[in-house]
Amino acid sequence: MQHLDPHLWPLTATATHNHLVLGGCDATELVREWGTPLYVLDETTLETTAARFVAALRAHYPAASTVHYASKALLNSAVAQLVTRGGLGLDCVSLGEVALARHIGLDLAQVHLHGNAKPRHELEQALAWGVGRIIVDSLDELRVLAELTRDRLAQGHQPQPILLRLNPGVDVHTHAHIQTGQLDSKFGLPLATGMARAAAELALQSPGLELVGLHAHLGSQIDEYAPLALGVQRLLAFAAELKQRFGWEAQELSPGGGLAVPYRSGEPVPEIDDYVQTLARTVLDECRQRGLALPRLVIEPGRSLIARAVVALYEVITVKTIPDVRTFVAVDGGMGDNIRPALYGARYSAVRADAIVSEATTTVTVAGRYCESGDVLLRDVALPPLEPGALLAIPMAGAYTLSMASTYNLVPRPALVGVRDGQARVLQRRETYADLLRRDILLPA
Ligand SMILES: Cc1ncc(COP(=O)(O)O)c(C=O)c1O
């Protein structure tokens, strides 16, 4: 029987009557109704994980704290509703993401706007919509914001609360594409070069801006706590310097997100509680030693909040054995719905969802349907024998998959179905061919 590693599968996943069952719904029946590729969100897992972050902060940090979902990991209206109904705020990184927050009726005070290159018109609109915090990433952005908010102040608006995103110069051992806290990074205001100090000074001199705090995000898929603690220490050392120089106190502090998840059995399984406790303790210790008031602690999990809640289902289209080389199992999705293997060499695992009691006796490479040789979802994985029509399930499919999906080869993007207590509902419908053609304008005959 194939193994459903409890660290990789949604909380409700079971093997029942030889089939994978998610949220009480048989995967083969979900596929019969909605087709493949199909992304299935276990609503219970998402809500439980969100609640774990909130509870851990309450348990380990005595002052105010907030969890903001880093919505870039997976965003559509229903996911944002599920997350924010649990009391979380939203981290957005474009006006499109903020527009979605408005669309679901979220109080935009609960929205933080990030981004290393926010266009001026997006900043103008974010100010007009009343986004709660803008996380400033560069001196140029700060100058634009200072100018825009000066004019708004003259019209009677309140100063805009901002945080400075700092580059603390901390390396984390993760894939180079998802490291962000080292000095050689496009993100943040480096502490080491004096740019952060210049930004703080300018922010404090700008009457339309209210500098409420400091932020850093070191990268993603981080499974060691020491660099995260070091990042917090550097933020608070800088806060202490600003207090001494300008008498300014940080009201808020955000160490970003970045907690790793396991994608395959045997990979480290960082615990949410340990992670939050490490961050909270570091803030408490540093503030005590430096004589700083405790700031509101804001954490921004993305991957670790959503990855495990989602399973991707694919139908096998063809099996091609090249003797003494490899067996390619090609499925009806691939880099269009999950680009992580092609982009970062990300590794996943899979089971045969329509014959879960079968033994994994063959080693195959699962390729996607897209016209790129690099479109390989799983390389050299052990699976039961597969034939066209077989159903494959990939767990840990929630983060940076659908949110990075493309319409390459004009393949419609998959549906996302939510499951709970034996009931399933479409949260985001499959793209149609009409959707794909909607933006095109035919030339006159
Ligand atoms: C500012 C910020 N916060 C939070 C996150 C979420 O990171 P993760 O999904 O690794 O938790 C990101 C991801 O890029 C980010 O840029």
Side-chain angles (χ1 to χ4, degrees), residues 70 72 114 165 215 217 220 257-258 300-303 400:
K72 72 199 76 171
H114 291 264
R165 171 156 178 179
H215 176 283
H217 170 74
S220 201
E300 302 170 346
R303 184 191 308 274
Y400 305 105

Side-chain angles (χ1 to χ4, degrees), residues 152-186:
R152 285 174 54 83
L153 205 61
Q155 294 156 15
H157 294 282
Q158 292 298 310
Q160 170 65 37
I162 61 166
L163 279 79
L164 295 180
R165 171 156 178 179
L166 306 180
N167 175 337
V170 176
D171 289 349
V172 287
H173 300 121
T174 187
H175 193 285
H177 290 189
I178 48 177
Q179 283 178 348
T180 56
Q182 74 285 9
L183 182 58
D184 183 1
S185 167
K186 71 171 182 171

